[in-house]
Amino acid sequence: MKKREPISTGAEWTFEMIAEYDHEIGRIAQEFGLDTYPNQIEVITSEQMMDAYASIGMPLNYNHWSFGKQFVETHQNYKRGRMGLAYEIVINSDPCIAYLMEENTMTMQALVIAHACYGHNSFFKGNYLFKTWTDASAIIDYLLFAKNYITHCEERHGVDAVEELLDSCHALMSYGVNRYVRPQPLTADEEKERQQAREEYIQRHLNDLWNTIPKKEEGAAPSIERFPRDPEENILYFIEKNAPLLEPWQREIVRIVRKVAQYFYPQKQTQVMNEGWACFWHYTLLHQLHEEGLVTDGFMVEFLHSHTSVVYQPPFDSPYFNGINPYTLGYNMMQDIKRICVDPTEEDREWFPDIAGSDWIKTLDHAMRNYKDESFILQYLSPRLIRELKLFTIMDNAEKPTLEVTSIHNESGYRQVREDLSAQYNLGNREPNIQVYNVNVRGDRSLTLRHFMHNQQPLGDSSGEVLRHIHRLWGFDVHLESVLPDGTVTKSYHCPEIITEGETDSLL
Amino acid sequence: MSYIIDRRLNSKKKSTVNRQRFLRRYKKHIKDAVEDAVNNRSITDIDKGGNVTIPRRDISEPIFHHGEGGMRTKVFPGNKEFVVGDQFQRPPGGGGGGAGEGKASNQGEGEDEFTFQINQEEFLDFMFDGLELPYLVKKQLKNATQYETRRAGFTNAGSPEKIHIVRSLKAAHARRIALTGKDRKKIRELSKEIELLKQQLPNPETSLQINKLNEEIELLKQRLKRIPFLDDFDIKYNNLVKIPVPSSKAVMFCIMDVSGSMTQSIKDMAKRFFILLYLFLKRNYKQIEVVFVRHHTHAKEVDEQEFFYSRETGGTIVSSALDLSSDIIEKRYSPADWNIYIAQASDGDNWDGDSSKCSKVLHEKILNKVQYFAYVEITTGPHQNLWQEYEKLQSVWAECFAMQQIREPADIFPVFRSLFEKKSEGAA
């Protein structure tokens, strides 16, 4: 290919250069078959970046003190030089909004454009989780609706009442998602239209459930059936639909928090893949630019410097170690898949007979579209990469005095390490599995939640406080039981607390 | 297709509301921190912004998470010498199993305190939150001598430079429409008639009629022309009225005893008190003057440096200072123009026969002119005769006279607050 003049040579950027880089990177991305939403690239200042940090990365959000806390903290740390800000933030919306920091050099802007505007963007558009759980074209409208609605509520019912409610909802945010049932995508227009109807309907529906008019009594042996019949994993949903004392506007706010949680749910589940995909593509795209002579060697050196620091994995005994770096794992896995396709070894053919030697673009595209972190690792983590990263598993059993190494990067350990690592990214294992188990419909209206224990791990110490939040939403007594798989209750929490200590002890 | 947008000029303060919510929620913590700062800071930077520290557990947002215990497996990178079956001690702090999110704050330091800064304005807001200048409103308008011109609609008379052009032309337009309506209607009707006539076959009779009608139209048009485009009574003027405004000037008298019994530490406390008062007044008035009066047996007006730092000894005659203040008020600060505040600090020691004279001067010459007179006695001992004398005054001049005792630096701010706490309206 004919070498062309580099687009830029210095560190300073201009809007024209950004446009030109974007054009070239976009062209190459298309050649590689990346399917993206249109891009909206916004250049912002560091202060605006901190604003964006504080509203969980969204361009607008409702007001809450916790965002203020986040902002104050970021601001403080940044000012003292304790942390740098991200080079970019990218939002899963259509058009896909990417924020570029003013302070970045030209190289960094190009890196960010390749990473966010083509890497993350295509992931948002292609991955099945994002497709099912989020509607990229509606999120901004929905957030605007939410912000206005909550402001309206604050005017009508007071800032304090709304703040309390949001506090409680935020405590349960991770339990506002349906993990198994596929949700309706949310759209702002419909939301607005249906909101009124929903308010009325719910209120009427509830009255049925909590009807106090006695039914014919004889023969009606108190049924032992529970309500809900099957445990409900989406606690916020259950509260929105069934909490006896909430006002319609409160239900709507519970719903808003739930919808926002749902929007972010896929991001939690695809961190490794998403970052890996974006890193892989910025690497590939910028190398292609270099190949074509569009960037200088100096550009590449600067780019590689920041690339390597992003995908660096400190070993477990390093003071910088802070868990497995999702960028490293994801990027290396993506590169590894490409390697298996392009240049498979005997081992690869044995482990990955279906992809070894296949077209790498198609294989990667398939992987990006159809997996989440957990299944992606289980499917694609190769023995070679396990060796390279020197992965090993430690078993920590609280009943034993010592930790034990259960598997390492050797022939007999590959599968186990891979399974362990995959399980580590299973949200179901990371967050306690707590579900609505029963409501005492005929009695004191108390709500019972069950914590189905995973590997006998107990709940953390803030559980009591979360329970108080649930109590605020539910309005009547709330109980929480930790249960072992065989059904024995190991520990129970109550709000308001039950004073007869003897009883709870006997449960243990 | 990409859009590139420069957002750098957009507003930066998107998080302001959230930040205020946060401050509002932790008001109590911040107030404590501010009070602490006021009591401990050096005097010159008492009004700077400051650090506020809140225990992290107070601002945590609880969520369900796994606690320690049970069985967990965790994969680590970078194995060096481990083989399967190796066993080793749990590292301290339960880190090995990795409770995960537990202690992790993103800066990698397990801090248990959350520290942030508030700026000077916020600092002062919190410092003086809930305080007010007593009986400000009541006195404000009584002797008002300052006026402010404000807009008050429009009038039909005024000087040419106040003409409101748009209004005037609007009025003229309306008048023209109103006065010409009938004629214009007539013209329209006549022209319609002409049109009708013209459609008929031309004959002498119709042309005669057309001519007649045309003449009539001409006549009407001339009448229309005679209506002036702009008439005298169309012209509207901006109306400005004078409104009395409360005086925005204040003078603060600092009166301090510098007799031998006042040690440096007592003076320091007095100074802190004066500074607080000064900062507080500065928030309420545009212009503030400060008069320093110090006294032992004689009173003297001095500059700040001398007031706080020069040393003198001698007996104590408080009334000398009050006399001097009263003179200064008479000469320079007419109560009609100035809001007068007096803060007196003393260790309570006074020459025996003088205290009754003091209360007399206050009663007759001073208290009826001032907004507020605050007396602080800085002493650890029992009250002296001045205090007892002043106590009598308090019942008479309850609205503008207050006295408090300061024993140690930590008292200053609470005492200051109690002097200026918002009071109910009843007393007026």
Side-chain angles (χ1 to χ4, degrees):
Chain A
M1 188 180 292
K2 204 181 108 222
K3 289 262 176 182
R4 290 165 58 187
E5 280 297 298
I7 299 170
S8 70
T9 49
E12 292 298 312
W13 59 267
T14 63
F15 282 96
E16 292 73 38
M17 286 189 218
I18 289 187
E20 203 174 339
Y21 271 108
D22 174 66
H23 176 76
E24 294 295 338
I25 294 171
R27 173 182 58 79
I28 298 171
Q30 211 167 18
E31 285 167 19
F32 279 113
L34 290 182
D35 178 25
T36 59
Y37 294 119
N39 278 305
Q40 180 169 325
I41 300 171
E42 306 194 356
V43 179
I44 60 172
T45 62
S46 56
E47 210 157 319
Q48 287 167 322
M49 185 59 110
M50 284 188 271
D51 283 338
Y53 264 55
S55 51
I56 41 178
M58 305 309 289
L60 75 172
N61 206 340
Y62 53 85
N63 291 321
H64 188 248
W65 68 270
S66 60
F67 304 138
K69 169 182 128 185
Q70 176 79 37
F71 175 75
V72 165
E73 188 163 23
T74 313
H75 190 79
Q76 202 72 11
N77 285 334
Y78 180 66
K79 252 178 44 188
R80 291 193 200 148
R82 270 219 229 131
M83 65 181 270
L85 296 173
Y87 302 119
E88 43 78 29
I89 285 185
V90 54
I91 295 163
N92 167 26
S93 63
D94 180 11
C96 178
I97 301 173
Y99 293 130
L100 269 56
M101 280 249 282
E102 172 184 45
E103 282 89 338
N104 295 348
T105 61
M106 187 65 246
T107 307
M108 290 311 299
Q109 304 290 33
L111 167 60
V112 165
I113 290 171
H115 182 89
C117 304
Y118 295 92
H120 284 307
N121 187 346
S122 57
F123 193 86
F124 290 148
K125 193 167 179 191
N127 183 268
Y128 82 103
L129 279 176
F130 285 90
K131 278 187 183 165
T132 28
W133 292 87
T134 67
D135 180 355
S137 62
I139 182 64
I140 302 292
D141 286 348
Y142 186 78
L143 285 175
L144 187 66
F145 157 76
K147 185 185 165 89
N148 290 340
Y149 188 84
I150 288 179
T151 311
H152 180 64
C153 287
E154 282 171 351
E155 283 161 11
R156 261 201 316 189
H157 308 285
V159 173
D160 287 320
V162 175
E163 185 171 292
E164 272 182 6
L165 182 68
L166 281 175
D167 283 352
S168 299
C169 292
H170 284 182
L172 291 170
M173 208 154 176
S174 329
Y175 296 88
V177 180
N178 291 311
R179 288 180 174 74
Y180 307 109
V181 185
R182 293 205 169 173
Q184 296 270 321
L186 76 171
T187 64
D189 294 340
E190 283 170 38
E191 284 295 312
K192 251 178 264 173
E193 272 170 34
R194 292 196 329 228
Q195 181 211 321
Q196 203 94 35
R198 194 166 54 229
E199 277 185 4
E200 270 171 38
Y201 173 76
I202 291 171
Q203 219 55 13
R204 242 184 308 138
H205 177 79
L206 264 175
N207 290 345
D208 266 1
L209 180 62
W210 298 108
N211 212 336
T212 48
I213 299 168
K215 298 204 175 106
K216 50 180 176 182
E217 286 193 27
E218 73 268 14
S223 71
I224 31 164
E225 241 179 70
R226 297 194 316 265
F227 177 84
R229 189 183 292 264
D230 298 314
E232 169 65 58
E233 48 160 357
N234 191 335
I235 299 178
L236 280 183
Y237 175 83
F238 186 83
I239 285 172
E240 179 198 330
K241 300 296 179 197
N242 298 303
L245 300 179
L246 289 185
E247 304 269 337
W249 65 270
Q250 292 174 313
R251 286 180 211 285
E252 190 62 35
I253 288 182
V254 173
R255 186 180 172 84
I256 286 171
V257 175
R258 193 160 76 70
K259 290 287 176 188
V260 173
Q262 179 198 301
Y263 171 81
F264 284 108
Y265 185 59
Q267 313 214 342
K268 278 210 258 175
Q269 286 180 293
T270 54
Q271 210 197 359
V272 169
M273 281 183 80
N274 201 345
E275 292 302 348
W277 177 259
C279 286
F280 174 82
W281 280 110
H282 77 226
Y283 185 85
T284 310
L285 294 174
L286 292 186
H287 269 277
Q288 186 64 32
L289 273 186
H290 186 235
E291 201 100 315
E292 296 181 14
L294 288 169
V295 297
T296 61
D297 292 348
F299 176 102
M300 287 311 275
V301 171
E302 186 187 347
F303 150 64
L304 285 172
H305 173 75
S306 63
H307 172 77
T308 40
S309 47
V310 165
V311 300
Y312 172 64
Q313 171 70 64
F316 74 97
D317 50 358
S318 151
Y320 302 107
F321 179 73
N322 186 21
I324 288 184
N325 180 351
Y327 289 80
T328 319
L329 183 62
Y331 170 74
N332 281 313
M333 282 185 68
M334 294 288 174
Q335 283 292 11
D336 200 47
I337 293 172
K338 181 179 174 189
R339 185 194 55 78
I340 292 170
C341 294
V342 177
D343 181 21
T345 61
E346 265 318 298
E347 186 186 45
D348 296 326
R349 286 189 196 285
E350 187 190 322
W351 280 69
F352 304 101
D354 45 340
I355 64 166
S358 66
D359 176 17
W360 68 268
I361 293 182
K362 275 201 191 119
T363 308
L364 269 182
D365 188 67
H366 173 81
M368 177 272 281
R369 285 179 191 279
N370 299 302
Y371 291 86
K372 55 180 170 181
D373 284 351
E374 181 194 352
S375 52
F376 179 68
I377 291 169
L378 200 56
Q379 181 74 23
Y380 291 112
L381 186 62
S382 72
R384 179 172 161 143
L385 190 58
I386 295 176
R387 283 197 302 272
E388 265 174 25
L389 293 174
K390 299 195 168 62
L391 298 178
F392 66 106
T393 311
I394 285 184
M395 158 81 84
D396 178 1
N397 189 342
E399 282 166 19
K400 290 187 185 163
T402 53
L403 304 177
E404 190 183 345
V405 177
T406 49
S407 36
I408 63 164
H409 42 94
N410 61 13
E411 201 60 46
S412 57
Y414 293 142
R415 276 176 209 283
Q416 193 55 46
V417 168
R418 184 158 83 173
E419 247 171 64
D420 291 339
L421 188 60
S422 157
Q424 206 166 305
Y425 286 96
N426 181 351
L427 271 191
N429 296 348
R430 277 203 282 178
E431 290 168 358
N433 176 6
I434 297 172
Q435 307 200 3
V436 176
Y437 185 68
N438 189 21
V439 174
N440 188 346
V441 184
R442 283 165 219 288
D444 60 1
R445 297 180 167 188
S446 65
L447 173 74
T448 305
L449 303 170
R450 280 208 155 178
H451 166 218
F452 298 95
M453 293 172 81
H454 174 71
N455 284 343
Q456 294 148 42
Q457 293 172 21
L459 286 176
D461 45 13
S462 62
S463 308
E465 245 171 285
V466 184
L467 216 56
R468 281 210 288 281
H469 283 299
I470 303 178
H471 179 252
R472 184 190 280 162
L473 294 172
W474 184 250
F476 295 94
D477 291 7
V478 178
H479 312 293
L480 169 64
E481 298 164 341
S482 289
V483 248
L484 290 171
D486 61 5
T488 48
V489 176
T490 57
K491 183 160 178 152
S492 49
Y493 303 80
H494 306 279
C495 184
E497 266 164 58
I498 293 174
I499 298 142
T500 49
E501 279 294 308
E503 247 187 82
T504 41
D505 282 347
S506 69
L507 284 170
L508 292 171
Chain B
M1 186 52 218
S2 301
Y3 313 92
I4 299 170
I5 302 170
D6 185 0
R7 287 263 189 240
R8 288 172 298 174
L9 298 177
N10 279 27
S11 66
K12 298 171 186 146
K13 305 285 182 199
K14 252 194 207 167
S15 300
T16 312
V17 179
N18 290 330
R19 188 167 184 279
Q20 277 165 354
R21 292 273 164 88
F22 175 67
L23 294 184
R24 177 172 159 272
R25 189 181 172 102
Y26 294 100
K27 214 169 164 180
K28 204 185 137 290
H29 291 94
I30 298 172
K31 265 191 174 166
D32 288 349
V34 166
E35 185 165 345
D36 236 30
V38 172
N39 285 332
N40 296 325
R41 272 194 195 169
S42 85
I43 290 160
T44 42
D45 52 22
I46 208 161
D47 65 334
K48 299 254 168 63
N51 280 335
V52 177
T53 301
I54 300 175
R56 214 161 252 284
R57 73 190 135 71
D58 286 4
I59 59 166
S60 69
E61 295 163 83
I63 50 163
F64 282 128
H65 61 89
H66 280 130
E68 281 179 31
M71 278 189 329
R72 34 186 118 224
T73 54
K74 198 169 181 198
V75 178
F76 290 92
N79 183 17
K80 294 195 178 76
E81 74 274 353
F82 295 137
V83 292
V84 176
D86 276 359
Q87 302 205 347
F88 48 91
Q89 289 300 312
R90 220 170 246 120
E101 358 285 289
K103 65 170 178 189
S105 59
N106 49 0
Q107 57 269 32
E109 290 174 31
E111 291 188 321
D112 47 3
E113 302 225 301
F114 181 83
T115 303
F116 62 96
Q117 277 187 323
I118 55 177
N119 61 29
Q120 179 184 7
E121 202 176 316
E122 286 163 338
F123 187 87
L124 291 175
D125 276 345
F126 280 106
M127 194 152 122
F128 297 123
D129 184 52
L131 302 185
E132 65 172 7
L133 288 173
Y135 317 113
L136 191 57
V137 189
K138 197 186 61 146
K139 263 208 164 176
Q140 255 173 357
L141 293 174
K142 203 169 73 182
N143 305 320
T145 52
Q146 289 181 344
Y147 294 92
E148 194 181 78
T149 36
R150 291 214 189 125
R151 290 190 162 207
F154 306 94
T155 57
N156 288 325
S159 57
E161 84 269 12
K162 284 186 189 147
I163 289 178
H164 192 285
I165 295 171
V166 175
R167 279 258 166 182
S168 306
L169 290 180
K170 265 188 186 168
H173 191 52
R175 176 182 51 79
R176 289 198 308 272
I177 290 173
L179 288 181
T180 59
K182 228 166 138 193
D183 291 345
R184 278 182 294 123
K185 194 176 167 196
K186 195 82 195 277
I187 292 175
R188 274 201 302 277
E189 276 166 10
L190 293 176
S191 0
K192 221 180 252 170
E193 244 171 85
I194 294 174
E195 284 301 304
L196 279 176
L197 287 172
K198 276 184 179 167
Q199 276 168 19
Q200 290 171 15
L201 285 175
N203 63 43
E205 204 180 319
T206 50
S207 62
L208 202 74
Q209 226 172 334
I210 288 176
N211 280 343
K212 211 176 133 199
L213 287 173
N214 271 335
E215 269 167 39
E216 217 173 314
I217 288 179
E218 205 49 43
L219 212 70
L220 284 169
K221 278 192 174 165
Q222 269 168 19
R223 254 173 75 181
L224 282 185
K225 263 188 195 153
R226 280 202 295 277
I227 290 178
F229 180 75
L230 193 65
D231 213 339
D232 281 349
F233 52 81
D234 293 335
I235 299 178
K236 304 290 177 211
Y237 300 87
N238 286 326
N239 189 23
L240 299 175
V241 292
K242 272 187 169 180
I243 290 175
V245 289
S247 165
S248 57
K249 294 191 291 187
V251 57
M252 170 181 157
F253 284 80
C254 301
I255 301 176
M256 186 165 66
D257 181 2
V258 289
S259 63
S261 54
M262 291 287 281
T263 61
Q264 193 57 43
S265 71
I266 293 181
K267 279 200 212 166
D268 230 42
M269 284 194 257
K271 185 173 182 183
R272 272 172 194 279
F273 183 81
F274 291 141
I275 285 175
L276 281 178
L277 182 59
Y278 177 72
L279 289 174
F280 186 45
L281 290 177
K282 215 165 85 175
R283 285 164 63 82
N284 287 284
Y285 295 105
K286 276 191 208 141
Q287 185 194 345
I288 293 193
E289 288 190 12
V290 186
V291 175
F292 296 101
V293 175
R294 48 170 218 156
H295 69 91
H296 37 97
T297 51
H298 293 291
K300 195 173 156 197
E301 190 186 347
V302 295
D303 64 12
E304 189 180 344
Q305 185 64 26
E306 202 179 339
F307 184 72
F308 287 116
Y309 297 109
S310 84
R311 310 215 51 170
E312 286 194 43
T313 48
T316 314
I317 298 179
V318 177
S319 67
S320 63
L322 298 176
D323 277 330
L324 181 63
S325 306
S326 158
D327 288 346
I328 295 173
I329 290 174
E330 223 150 88
K331 271 188 223 139
R332 306 207 311 251
Y333 301 105
S334 133
D337 294 333
W338 293 85
N339 295 290
I340 301 166
Y341 292 86
I342 301 182
Q344 185 191 359
S346 149
D347 58 356
D349 211 11
N350 195 10
W351 181 63
D352 272 344
D354 188 52
S355 292
S356 58
K357 198 177 161 209
C358 286
S359 68
K360 200 166 149 244
V361 175
L362 276 180
H363 187 63
E364 287 169 5
K365 291 204 206 152
I366 294 186
L367 287 177
N368 53 359
K369 292 179 189 145
V370 301
Q371 295 283 88
Y372 203 54
F373 186 104
Y375 170 64
V376 284
E377 186 173 278
I378 306 170
T379 170
T380 47
H383 295 307
Q384 311 258 358
N385 50 13
L386 191 61
W387 179 276
Q388 276 127 29
E389 199 66 42
Y390 275 7
E391 263 180 343
K392 293 178 209 153
L393 277 177
Q394 208 177 11
S395 53
V396 186
W397 294 93
E399 9 185 295
C400 60
F401 184 81
M403 48 198 283
Q404 288 283 346
Q405 187 184 14
I406 295 176
R407 287 169 209 277
E408 52 183 18
D411 288 344
I412 298 171
F413 194 55
V415 161
F416 180 81
R417 288 196 73 91
S418 72
L419 283 176
F420 290 97
E421 209 113 45
K422 273 203 175 109
K423 297 177 178 103
S424 58
E425 288 298 297

